[in-house]
Amino acid sequence: MSQQTAAAPGFSQRFGRVQLAASVQMSIKARELKAAGKPVVTLTTGEPNFDSPPHAIEAAHQATLRGDTKYPPQDGTRALKEAIQRKFKRDSGLHYALDEIAVSNGGKQCIFNAIMATVNAGDEVVIPVPSWIAYAQMTQLCEGVPVLVSCPQNNGFKPRAEDIDAAITPRTKWLILNNPNNPTGACCSAEEIQAIAAVMRRHPHVWVMSDDMYEHLVFDGFHHATFAEVAPDLKARTLTLSGVSKTYAMTGWRIGFAGGPKPLIKAMTVMQGQATAGTSTVGQAAAAAALDGPQDGVDVQIKAYQRRRDLAVAMLNDTKGITCHKPEGAFYVFPNVAGCLGKTTTGGRMLNSDEDVCLALLEEHYVATVHGAAYHMSPYLRISTATADDDLREGLQRIQTFCAGLR
Ligand code: PLP
């Protein structure tokens, strides 16, 4: 993948290597159109449209009242780390000692800390794609090289073990796995992860990051398994990452966490120490309550995401020029828009790429989505189902009207 190096005078080359995420850019455009009075339906958002659990809010309140408002330990409060320890055991049968757990400002900072602490200039990070854009961007910030491994639709958007094997070189530092995946919702089974683990046993110099941020959001009884659980012999070089953002609708509290080998966790904490010194004590109290408290709210949300996935997949497969794979989890669908390319919209625009489709949809029918190229695979759209049912249905109907009008 090509790296941008030019930056405006006064700014670092490092800054020149990163961009504002396409999903954020599309959300900004959608907000501008909304502010101009247009009836915009936003299907770009990567966050649950539910409220945080009341017991988490109460725990935050109590934390402030008892004066839990001082600098936290840089790797997280003991109370939250104990709750995370119980969570890893409960969900994955994994034991992490307290000094094998780090808490950060969102899962995103855990990933950032890990890459900052390990990647040197020229080091390679193997990223199955489509993927969340941050992995490649963070790698480039550290002057590393993202090595993208294509996970085609005909393999359910999942990585093939042999493709991962072929991508690994002596310069490889990390393999990043993300189950369920943003943006496709694909989730590898334990058997598929086992096949990848067999490859990783042949490459002992490579760390494995298992980004399980959407681990609970799986449908039709699918069992989510994390890498270290499937391959306990590789736990000593695996970073297991999760958080409360997606499972508990707590994106704004900014709490993520990771379990991993002690030296890596320590290095990540040193990095964090220089960036943020630690994570909000109030947010940590809320996260501990979410992890330890009643989980029935999560089930309600899973049911809603499954219902919306079914609605979106059915309506998209009923749309001229679009086909849509049915994902195992998360709150995204990733329809293929190849049948729209080479056509002209009712507004007179020629569609040559998924970005053209995305912009025409927004500007002519006021539906905001994100183009697949932003996640390293074209021609697709990412549609978020973390949207009220009525808005989702309205957005999908407009996509149908848009496609029906293509000539
Ligand atoms: N990993 C993936 C795949 C994500 O999509 C996101 C957020 O969008 C994160 C990690 C980071 O989550 P957080 O909000 O906890 O930083």
Side-chain angles (χ1 to χ4, degrees):
M1 137 180 246
S2 67
Q3 294 202 3
Q4 280 179 269
T5 44
F11 293 90
S12 67
Q13 289 190 356
R14 185 178 311 110
F15 173 63
R17 287 195 290 267
V18 285
Q19 294 156 352
L20 198 62
S23 56
V24 176
Q25 288 179 32
M26 284 306 289
S27 299
I28 292 171
K29 267 193 213 298
R31 262 202 302 276
E32 284 168 2
L33 283 170
K34 223 176 210 166
K38 304 297 182 198
V40 176
V41 175
T42 302
L43 304 179
T44 52
T45 321
E47 67 178 341
N49 63 323
F50 294 102
D51 294 329
S52 301
H55 49 277
I57 294 169
E58 180 58 24
H61 186 203
Q62 293 304 325
T64 56
L65 291 179
R66 70 171 174 264
D68 194 359
T69 51
K70 307 283 191 252
Y71 281 125
Q74 295 197 337
D75 57 345
T77 62
R78 188 178 177 94
L80 177 56
K81 293 211 308 176
E82 285 176 353
I84 293 166
Q85 196 175 43
R86 287 188 285 275
K87 176 252 173 283
F88 278 131
K89 192 80 193 160
R90 180 173 72 233
D91 291 340
S92 315
L94 289 173
H95 172 72
Y96 286 105
L98 292 184
D99 57 7
E100 294 176 320
I101 293 172
V103 176
S104 296
N105 293 274
K108 194 166 197 176
Q109 197 190 14
C110 284
I111 302 169
F112 192 78
N113 292 338
I115 292 180
M116 282 284 280
T118 53
V119 171
N120 288 315
D123 283 351
E124 294 169 359
V125 175
V126 174
I127 306 169
V129 296
S131 80
W132 187 42
I133 195 72
Y135 306 132
Q137 292 268 296
M138 291 180 192
T139 301
Q140 287 177 321
L141 261 181
C142 297
E143 298 180 58
V145 181
V147 175
L148 309 183
V149 173
S150 183
C151 306
Q153 183 173 345
N154 65 12
N155 197 44
F157 296 115
K158 298 178 197 181
R160 278 185 296 241
E162 60 270 30
D163 294 340
I164 289 176
D165 198 19
I168 293 175
T169 75
R171 292 302 310 258
T172 307
K173 229 0 156 359
W174 283 97
L175 163 67
I176 301 185
L177 300 174
N178 174 214
N179 287 303
N181 172 278
N182 173 8
T184 65
C187 191
C188 289
S189 65
E191 291 71 31
E192 288 162 333
I193 294 172
Q194 194 59 265
I196 296 171
V199 167
M200 299 318 290
R201 287 188 186 100
R202 293 202 293 276
H203 302 288
H205 64 292
V206 183
W207 296 101
V208 179
M209 185 184 298
S210 182
D211 178 347
D212 303 329
M213 193 52 70
Y214 298 87
E215 62 183 311
H216 292 104
L217 309 183
V218 285
F219 313 133
D220 305 320
F222 187 91
H223 173 71
H224 173 272
T226 190
F227 189 84
E229 171 189 10
V230 172
D233 56 315
L234 302 182
K235 182 168 173 255
R237 55 187 170 101
T238 301
L239 187 68
T240 306
L241 179 116
S242 195
V244 296
S245 297
K246 316 288 178 175
T247 305
Y248 300 104
M250 291 178 67
T251 44
W253 299 83
R254 307 308 303 130
I255 305 289
F257 49 83
K262 192 172 158 184
L264 178 60
I265 292 294
K266 198 168 172 195
M268 288 164 59
T269 305
V270 170
M271 287 295 160
Q272 173 155 303
Q274 291 309 326
T276 62
T279 309
S280 151
T281 48
V282 176
Q284 292 192 69
L291 290 174
D292 279 343
Q295 303 291 308
D296 39 331
V298 179
D299 294 335
V300 171
Q301 294 174 30
I302 294 169
K303 284 200 179 83
Y305 293 134
Q306 178 167 335
R307 186 180 66 238
R308 295 175 193 162
R309 174 207 61 175
D310 291 343
L311 173 75
V313 170
M315 286 185 72
L316 288 163
N317 280 323
D318 218 13
T319 302
K320 203 174 138 206
I322 293 187
T323 56
C324 186
H325 178 80
K326 191 174 183 178
E328 289 86 1
F331 43 61
Y332 309 105
V333 291
F334 201 62
N336 183 315
V337 294
C340 301
L341 302 189
K343 305 217 162 127
T344 307
T345 67
T346 48
R349 292 161 182 243
M350 177 71 178
L351 302 177
N352 290 317
S353 66
D354 52 14
E355 187 167 10
D356 289 347
V357 174
C358 191
L359 284 173
L361 257 177
L362 179 60
E363 288 167 11
E364 295 184 13
H365 291 261
Y366 307 120
V367 186
T369 58
V370 189
H371 54 294
Y375 304 94
H376 310 290
M377 192 174 278
S378 289
Y380 292 89
L381 297 180
R382 187 190 80 166
I383 291 177
S384 167
T385 57
T387 311
D389 291 46
D390 287 348
D391 290 345
L392 180 63
R393 191 173 287 105
E394 170 67 22
L396 293 164
Q397 273 162 359
R398 290 191 205 176
I399 293 174
Q400 290 183 328
T401 307
F402 169 84
C403 288
L406 296 179
R407 293 290 172 261

PDB file of all heavy atoms in Angstrom, residues 39-41 361 365-367 393-403:
ATOM      1  N   PRO A  39     -33.411  15.982   4.431  1.00  0.00           N
ATOM      2  CA  PRO A  39     -33.895  14.851   5.257  1.00  0.00           C
ATOM      3  C   PRO A  39     -32.914  13.669   5.219  1.00  0.00           C
ATOM      4  O   PRO A  39     -33.193  12.631   4.632  1.00  0.00           O
ATOM      5  CB  PRO A  39     -35.220  14.490   4.580  1.00  0.00           C
ATOM      6  CG  PRO A  39     -35.015  14.869   3.144  1.00  0.00           C
ATOM      7  CD  PRO A  39     -34.069  16.034   3.113  1.00  0.00           C
ATOM      8  N   VAL A  40     -31.779  13.827   5.871  1.00  0.00           N
ATOM      9  CA  VAL A  40     -30.700  12.836   5.763  1.00  0.00           C
ATOM     10  C   VAL A  40     -30.967  11.615   6.652  1.00  0.00           C
ATOM     11  O   VAL A  40     -31.369  11.754   7.807  1.00  0.00           O
ATOM     12  CB  VAL A  40     -29.349  13.490   6.151  1.00  0.00           C
ATOM     13  CG1 VAL A  40     -28.231  12.456   6.145  1.00  0.00           C
ATOM     14  CG2 VAL A  40     -29.026  14.635   5.224  1.00  0.00           C
ATOM     15  N   VAL A  41     -30.737  10.432   6.102  1.00  0.00           N
ATOM     16  CA  VAL A  41     -30.735   9.196   6.905  1.00  0.00           C
ATOM     17  C   VAL A  41     -29.272   8.759   7.002  1.00  0.00           C
ATOM     18  O   VAL A  41     -28.608   8.551   5.983  1.00  0.00           O
ATOM     19  CB  VAL A  41     -31.561   8.082   6.225  1.00  0.00           C
ATOM     20  CG1 VAL A  41     -31.441   6.781   7.019  1.00  0.00           C
ATOM     21  CG2 VAL A  41     -33.015   8.506   6.108  1.00  0.00           C
ATOM     22  N   LEU A 361     -25.576   8.716  -3.661  1.00  0.00           N
ATOM     23  CA  LEU A 361     -26.643   8.341  -2.719  1.00  0.00           C
ATOM     24  C   LEU A 361     -26.874   9.452  -1.701  1.00  0.00           C
ATOM     25  O   LEU A 361     -28.012   9.793  -1.377  1.00  0.00           O
ATOM     26  CB  LEU A 361     -26.213   7.081  -1.960  1.00  0.00           C
ATOM     27  CG  LEU A 361     -26.812   5.753  -2.372  1.00  0.00           C
ATOM     28  CD1 LEU A 361     -26.181   4.641  -1.544  1.00  0.00           C
ATOM     29  CD2 LEU A 361     -28.324   5.757  -2.199  1.00  0.00           C
ATOM     30  N   HIS A 365     -30.119  11.342  -2.767  1.00  0.00           N
ATOM     31  CA  HIS A 365     -31.205  10.709  -1.998  1.00  0.00           C
ATOM     32  C   HIS A 365     -31.015  10.866  -0.486  1.00  0.00           C
ATOM     33  O   HIS A 365     -31.791  10.323   0.294  1.00  0.00           O
ATOM     34  CB  HIS A 365     -31.327   9.223  -2.373  1.00  0.00           C
ATOM     35  CG  HIS A 365     -31.836   9.023  -3.769  1.00  0.00           C
ATOM     36  ND1 HIS A 365     -33.135   8.726  -4.059  1.00  0.00           N
ATOM     37  CD2 HIS A 365     -31.205   9.133  -4.963  1.00  0.00           C
ATOM     38  CE1 HIS A 365     -33.293   8.637  -5.380  1.00  0.00           C
ATOM     39  NE2 HIS A 365     -32.124   8.878  -5.943  1.00  0.00           N
ATOM     40  N   TYR A 366     -29.987  11.576  -0.086  1.00  0.00           N
ATOM     41  CA  TYR A 366     -29.744  11.900   1.322  1.00  0.00           C
ATOM     42  C   TYR A 366     -29.619  10.656   2.212  1.00  0.00           C
ATOM     43  O   TYR A 366     -30.142  10.619   3.326  1.00  0.00           O
ATOM     44  CB  TYR A 366     -30.839  12.845   1.853  1.00  0.00           C
ATOM     45  CG  TYR A 366     -30.991  14.070   0.975  1.00  0.00           C
ATOM     46  CD1 TYR A 366     -32.195  14.354   0.354  1.00  0.00           C
ATOM     47  CD2 TYR A 366     -29.910  14.913   0.759  1.00  0.00           C
ATOM     48  CE1 TYR A 366     -32.319  15.456  -0.469  1.00  0.00           C
ATOM     49  CE2 TYR A 366     -30.024  16.012  -0.069  1.00  0.00           C
ATOM     50  CZ  TYR A 366     -31.224  16.279  -0.685  1.00  0.00           C
ATOM     51  OH  TYR A 366     -31.338  17.364  -1.505  1.00  0.00           O
ATOM     52  N   VAL A 367     -28.937   9.642   1.706  1.00  0.00           N
ATOM     53  CA  VAL A 367     -28.621   8.464   2.530  1.00  0.00           C
ATOM     54  C   VAL A 367     -27.105   8.399   2.681  1.00  0.00           C
ATOM     55  O   VAL A 367     -26.384   8.304   1.680  1.00  0.00           O
ATOM     56  CB  VAL A 367     -29.073   7.140   1.871  1.00  0.00           C
ATOM     57  CG1 VAL A 367     -28.851   5.974   2.833  1.00  0.00           C
ATOM     58  CG2 VAL A 367     -30.529   7.219   1.472  1.00  0.00           C
ATOM     59  N   ARG A 393     -35.012   1.219   7.560  1.00  0.00           N
ATOM     60  CA  ARG A 393     -35.932   0.840   6.471  1.00  0.00           C
ATOM     61  C   ARG A 393     -36.050   1.984   5.459  1.00  0.00           C
ATOM     62  O   ARG A 393     -35.976   1.771   4.248  1.00  0.00           O
ATOM     63  CB  ARG A 393     -37.307   0.493   7.055  1.00  0.00           C
ATOM     64  CG  ARG A 393     -38.223  -0.159   6.035  1.00  0.00           C
ATOM     65  CD  ARG A 393     -39.526  -0.673   6.605  1.00  0.00           C
ATOM     66  NE  ARG A 393     -39.385  -1.866   7.414  1.00  0.00           N
ATOM     67  CZ  ARG A 393     -39.450  -1.898   8.746  1.00  0.00           C
ATOM     68  NH1 ARG A 393     -39.663  -0.792   9.411  1.00  0.00           N
ATOM     69  NH2 ARG A 393     -39.306  -3.024   9.400  1.00  0.00           N
ATOM     70  N   GLU A 394     -36.161   3.207   5.966  1.00  0.00           N
ATOM     71  CA  GLU A 394     -36.277   4.378   5.079  1.00  0.00           C
ATOM     72  C   GLU A 394     -35.015   4.507   4.207  1.00  0.00           C
ATOM     73  O   GLU A 394     -35.096   4.710   2.997  1.00  0.00           O
ATOM     74  CB  GLU A 394     -36.485   5.634   5.948  1.00  0.00           C
ATOM     75  CG  GLU A 394     -36.383   6.962   5.225  1.00  0.00           C
ATOM     76  CD  GLU A 394     -37.499   7.200   4.214  1.00  0.00           C
ATOM     77  OE1 GLU A 394     -38.563   6.570   4.345  1.00  0.00           O
ATOM     78  OE2 GLU A 394     -37.291   8.013   3.277  1.00  0.00           O
ATOM     79  N   GLY A 395     -33.849   4.344   4.839  1.00  0.00           N
ATOM     80  CA  GLY A 395     -32.591   4.454   4.088  1.00  0.00           C
ATOM     81  C   GLY A 395     -32.503   3.384   3.003  1.00  0.00           C
ATOM     82  O   GLY A 395     -32.113   3.653   1.862  1.00  0.00           O
ATOM     83  N   LEU A 396     -32.905   2.160   3.355  1.00  0.00           N
ATOM     84  CA  LEU A 396     -32.828   1.055   2.394  1.00  0.00           C
ATOM     85  C   LEU A 396     -33.829   1.261   1.253  1.00  0.00           C
ATOM     86  O   LEU A 396     -33.525   0.954   0.092  1.00  0.00           O
ATOM     87  CB  LEU A 396     -33.079  -0.274   3.117  1.00  0.00           C
ATOM     88  CG  LEU A 396     -31.987  -0.677   4.119  1.00  0.00           C
ATOM     89  CD1 LEU A 396     -32.476  -1.777   5.056  1.00  0.00           C
ATOM     90  CD2 LEU A 396     -30.715  -1.130   3.399  1.00  0.00           C
ATOM     91  N   GLN A 397     -35.005   1.808   1.581  1.00  0.00           N
ATOM     92  CA  GLN A 397     -35.980   2.084   0.506  1.00  0.00           C
ATOM     93  C   GLN A 397     -35.422   3.120  -0.469  1.00  0.00           C
ATOM     94  O   GLN A 397     -35.573   3.010  -1.682  1.00  0.00           O
ATOM     95  CB  GLN A 397     -37.301   2.579   1.100  1.00  0.00           C
ATOM     96  CG  GLN A 397     -38.210   1.423   1.470  1.00  0.00           C
ATOM     97  CD  GLN A 397     -39.329   1.815   2.435  1.00  0.00           C
ATOM     98  OE1 GLN A 397     -39.427   2.970   2.865  1.00  0.00           O
ATOM     99  NE2 GLN A 397     -40.162   0.848   2.781  1.00  0.00           N
ATOM    100  N   ARG A 398     -34.733   4.120   0.087  1.00  0.00           N
ATOM    101  CA  ARG A 398     -34.154   5.141  -0.797  1.00  0.00           C
ATOM    102  C   ARG A 398     -33.053   4.530  -1.683  1.00  0.00           C
ATOM    103  O   ARG A 398     -32.886   4.918  -2.829  1.00  0.00           O
ATOM    104  CB  ARG A 398     -33.582   6.289   0.025  1.00  0.00           C
ATOM    105  CG  ARG A 398     -34.659   7.121   0.687  1.00  0.00           C
ATOM    106  CD  ARG A 398     -34.042   8.376   1.249  1.00  0.00           C
ATOM    107  NE  ARG A 398     -34.823   8.918   2.340  1.00  0.00           N
ATOM    108  CZ  ARG A 398     -34.471   9.966   3.063  1.00  0.00           C
ATOM    109  NH1 ARG A 398     -33.324  10.590   2.809  1.00  0.00           N
ATOM    110  NH2 ARG A 398     -35.224  10.418   4.035  1.00  0.00           N
ATOM    111  N   ILE A 399     -32.289   3.594  -1.119  1.00  0.00           N
ATOM    112  CA  ILE A 399     -31.254   2.926  -1.927  1.00  0.00           C
ATOM    113  C   ILE A 399     -31.937   2.152  -3.065  1.00  0.00           C
ATOM    114  O   ILE A 399     -31.471   2.166  -4.210  1.00  0.00           O
ATOM    115  CB  ILE A 399     -30.381   2.001  -1.044  1.00  0.00           C
ATOM    116  CG1 ILE A 399     -29.568   2.839  -0.061  1.00  0.00           C
ATOM    117  CG2 ILE A 399     -29.445   1.140  -1.892  1.00  0.00           C
ATOM    118  CD1 ILE A 399     -28.766   2.050   0.972  1.00  0.00           C
ATOM    119  N   GLN A 400     -33.074   1.515  -2.758  1.00  0.00           N
ATOM    120  CA  GLN A 400     -33.807   0.785  -3.808  1.00  0.00           C
ATOM    121  C   GLN A 400     -34.273   1.743  -4.909  1.00  0.00           C
ATOM    122  O   GLN A 400     -34.149   1.450  -6.099  1.00  0.00           O
ATOM    123  CB  GLN A 400     -35.009   0.042  -3.205  1.00  0.00           C
ATOM    124  CG  GLN A 400     -34.572  -1.126  -2.327  1.00  0.00           C
ATOM    125  CD  GLN A 400     -35.739  -1.944  -1.772  1.00  0.00           C
ATOM    126  OE1 GLN A 400     -36.816  -1.402  -1.514  1.00  0.00           O
ATOM    127  NE2 GLN A 400     -35.519  -3.230  -1.576  1.00  0.00           N
ATOM    128  N   THR A 401     -34.793   2.902  -4.498  1.00  0.00           N
ATOM    129  CA  THR A 401     -35.272   3.890  -5.479  1.00  0.00           C
ATOM    130  C   THR A 401     -34.099   4.379  -6.333  1.00  0.00           C
ATOM    131  O   THR A 401     -34.198   4.498  -7.557  1.00  0.00           O
ATOM    132  CB  THR A 401     -35.913   5.093  -4.740  1.00  0.00           C
ATOM    133  OG1 THR A 401     -36.897   4.584  -3.853  1.00  0.00           O
ATOM    134  CG2 THR A 401     -36.524   6.096  -5.698  1.00  0.00           C
ATOM    135  N   PHE A 402     -32.985   4.657  -5.664  1.00  0.00           N
ATOM    136  CA  PHE A 402     -31.759   5.123  -6.350  1.00  0.00           C
ATOM    137  C   PHE A 402     -31.333   4.103  -7.415  1.00  0.00           C
ATOM    138  O   PHE A 402     -31.094   4.446  -8.574  1.00  0.00           O
ATOM    139  CB  PHE A 402     -30.672   5.313  -5.301  1.00  0.00           C
ATOM    140  CG  PHE A 402     -29.275   5.532  -5.841  1.00  0.00           C
ATOM    141  CD1 PHE A 402     -28.857   6.796  -6.233  1.00  0.00           C
ATOM    142  CD2 PHE A 402     -28.361   4.478  -5.907  1.00  0.00           C
ATOM    143  CE1 PHE A 402     -27.562   6.992  -6.714  1.00  0.00           C
ATOM    144  CE2 PHE A 402     -27.074   4.670  -6.383  1.00  0.00           C
ATOM    145  CZ  PHE A 402     -26.676   5.939  -6.780  1.00  0.00           C
ATOM    146  N   CYS A 403     -31.286   2.832  -7.019  1.00  0.00           N
ATOM    147  CA  CYS A 403     -30.815   1.790  -7.950  1.00  0.00           C
ATOM    148  C   CYS A 403     -31.814   1.570  -9.077  1.00  0.00           C
ATOM    149  O   CYS A 403     -31.407   1.334 -10.229  1.00  0.00           O
ATOM    150  CB  CYS A 403     -30.565   0.490  -7.194  1.00  0.00           C
ATOM    151  SG  CYS A 403     -29.095   0.588  -6.170  1.00  0.00           S
TER     152      CYS A 403
END
